[in-house]
Amino acid sequence: MIEFLSKQLDWVDVNYWFYLINDLSLLYIIIPFFVLELIRYAWQKRLNKNLVFDSIANIITFGAFLIIEIILGVLAVTKLYYWLYNNASLPHLELNWVTIISCIILADFAYYWEHRMMHRIGIGWATHTVHHSSPHFNMSVAYRFGPLDAIMPILFSLPLVMLGYDPILVLLSEVFVQVFQTLLHTEIIGKLTRPVEFIFNTPSHHRVHHGSNRQYWDKNYAGILIIWDRMLGTFEPEVETVKYGISEPLNSTNPIKVFFHGITRLFKKIAGIEGFKNKLLVLIKPPDWMPKN
């Protein structure tokens, strides 16, 4: 077993496996499942204009996000990541099952902290609030992104590159975590078996994360493994029926308003606060922070 896990792998094979899991999952899991969700909505008489337009807005925000991410991804990989990899990293790690699995686990742990930061500082929430602003919960919501959602994760990826993991493997692992997250955006799947619910993030755990119920705020940040939340005190089980959305509802399916509403709200908050220091603090303090009089 040790020999199998440590045997060096070919990049062509690894890229193909990630292509099957990351890219093609859109065709063989996500789209078919979303169609199933639409059928379920229709059966429950919940398929209405708001839900349809909301889903369309989700896809449009994803398109805008993808343009930003492709540009930044190319720059990050060809410039920053590879500069650190070649000049400021530990000895480079071979490509084998041990490095692939460990990179995914570390990418998942990095995602936990990145996700937690996006909720707990003003500038992070200004972009991430887009993802939480839908009053619905389905596969299309997984593609609802804000304008800065492709930028901040870079900060949490750099330590993995500096540990000696190939930048391409780091990016592929991050996409794997995101694909896993996509599959959690559904109401069709209830709670799973206790061991699965204890170790892994599940639709039940992620429904909590999208809840506007007060006890669900800032809970269940996990990507793949819910054990991070259990260990770090941010876990909350799904008990009360989840009400999706944010504390200050957006009430719009206009994709431009959806994509930029968090940033515009942040600018309005900054404009309404006196003092240059306080204006800067709005960016790094929790979203509900206000200076004391």
Side-chain angles (χ1 to χ4, degrees):
M1 176 62 75
I2 295 177
E3 183 179 349
F4 170 77
L5 292 174
S6 59
K7 182 181 178 180
Q8 188 166 358
L9 300 174
D10 191 295
W11 261 113
V12 174
D13 294 330
V14 173
N15 275 318
Y16 181 68
W17 296 331
F18 274 110
Y19 171 70
L20 290 177
I21 297 172
N22 289 346
D23 300 343
L24 292 188
S25 63
L26 180 67
L27 300 178
Y28 64 79
I29 296 181
I30 296 167
I31 291 178
F33 208 93
F34 181 57
V35 171
L36 183 62
E37 288 180 312
L38 291 177
I39 294 172
R40 179 174 178 267
Y41 280 128
W43 178 263
Q44 296 179 335
K45 295 181 172 33
R46 296 167 58 195
L47 185 60
N48 53 43
K49 183 173 68 173
N50 181 272
L51 188 146
V52 172
F53 286 161
D54 185 80
S55 299
I56 293 172
N58 296 341
I59 303 306
I60 293 174
T61 65
F62 176 67
F65 161 82
L66 197 59
I67 292 171
I68 297 171
E69 186 171 67
I70 288 173
I71 295 171
L72 290 175
V74 170
L75 289 175
V77 171
T78 59
K79 302 297 181 183
L80 180 59
Y81 280 26
Y82 269 111
W83 187 91
L84 287 172
Y85 185 62
N86 292 320
N87 297 281
S89 81
L90 296 175
H92 296 176
L93 299 171
E94 288 188 352
L95 185 66
N96 54 46
W97 283 112
V98 172
T99 55
I100 291 174
I101 294 170
S102 60
C103 189
I104 290 173
I105 292 173
L106 288 173
D108 190 50
F109 189 52
Y111 175 84
Y112 169 88
W113 285 108
E114 169 237 317
H115 197 180
R116 186 167 178 171
M117 182 272 293
M118 297 281 268
H119 276 254
R120 297 307 301 149
I121 70 171
I123 185 64
W125 183 244
T127 183
H128 190 58
T129 186
V130 175
H131 183 67
H132 283 264
S133 60
S134 174
H136 309 287
F137 192 71
N138 53 59
M139 289 287 174
S140 76
V141 175
Y143 293 95
R144 188 181 180 105
F145 289 102
L148 302 179
D149 283 1
I151 298 175
M152 296 187 180
I154 292 175
L155 300 174
F156 294 83
S157 304
L158 298 181
L160 276 67
V161 174
M162 296 174 71
L163 286 174
Y165 290 97
D166 189 287
I168 299 297
L169 178 60
V170 172
L171 288 174
L172 291 174
S173 298
E174 290 176 329
V175 173
F176 180 81
V177 174
Q178 289 287 349
V179 169
F180 187 93
Q181 275 265 305
T182 299
L183 304 178
L184 304 179
H185 291 77
T186 183
E187 295 179 301
I188 291 179
I189 300 174
K191 292 192 177 184
L192 303 175
T193 61
R194 187 170 295 180
V196 172
E197 293 280 337
F198 186 82
I199 298 172
F200 293 98
N201 200 4
T202 65
S204 174
H205 297 327
H206 203 59
R207 284 193 290 270
V208 165
H209 180 70
H210 274 257
S212 62
N213 318 50
R214 187 62 186 86
Q215 71 271 28
Y216 292 159
W217 289 10
D218 303 325
K219 301 295 183 180
N220 300 0
Y221 296 115
I224 297 175
L225 301 173
I226 199 66
I227 56 174
W228 309 132
D229 286 284
R230 294 185 185 277
M231 292 166 55
L232 297 166
T234 52
F235 175 73
E236 185 72 26
E238 182 183 24
V239 179
E240 181 180 297
T241 301
V242 179
K243 298 175 183 177
Y244 305 111
I246 52 180
S247 58
E248 298 178 13
L250 178 59
N251 297 323
S252 176
T253 57
N254 181 323
I256 296 176
K257 187 173 182 179
V258 168
F259 193 62
F260 290 108
H261 83 271
I263 298 295
T264 56
R265 286 180 176 183
L266 178 68
F267 285 157
K268 287 179 181 178
K269 181 177 179 179
I270 292 174
I273 288 178
E274 295 183 357
F276 182 71
K277 179 182 177 181
N278 287 333
K279 291 179 185 294
L280 290 179
L281 286 175
V282 169
L283 300 176
I284 59 174
K285 288 286 189 177
D288 57 353
W289 177 82
M290 290 294 289
K292 295 180 180 179
N293 295 327

